[in-house]
Amino acid sequence: MSDEVETFESALAHVNKSVDLTNADLQDTCKYVRSRFIKTADSGGWAQFLQEEGAPSSTGTACITTSLVRLGISRWDPQLVSASDFLRTDQPR
């Protein structure tokens, strides 16, 4: 095996390990965010992430919802459905 091929394979192994570690970190983050969901009658559930007072706002809910969708959580997940319902009803008329 040439040095060039060996170097490429070593670099590829390093990149794959980094991707695996990043994926694991993202999954841990996703679990944490989902565990912090607090459903109330008139809110979306994630106020504490933007240090908001009182019930979660549309801004906090939209930020977390977008992040979870990008992490691969189904749009039909009960937390995301609840958050989406809140966002729809909280729009200015």
Side-chain angles (χ1 to χ4, degrees), residues 22-23 25-27 29-31 33-34 64-74:
T22 301
N23 187 45
D25 288 344
L26 287 171
Q27 293 309 311
T29 300
C30 184
K31 287 176 190 172
V33 167
R34 290 170 60 87
I64 296 300
T65 302
T66 301
S67 297
L68 290 173
V69 169
R70 293 196 68 174
L71 283 168
I73 301 301
S74 168

Side-chain angles (χ1 to χ4, degrees), residues 12-51:
L12 184 58
H14 181 71
V15 167
N16 285 336
K17 181 178 179 184
S18 294
V19 168
D20 289 344
L21 290 172
T22 301
N23 187 45
D25 288 344
L26 287 171
Q27 293 309 311
D28 287 347
T29 300
C30 184
K31 287 176 190 172
Y32 173 76
V33 167
R34 290 170 60 87
S35 76
R36 301 296 296 165
F37 179 82
I38 300 170
K39 177 69 176 132
T40 64
D42 60 345
S43 69
W46 288 286
Q48 66 276 23
F49 285 97
L50 294 179
Q51 299 176 352

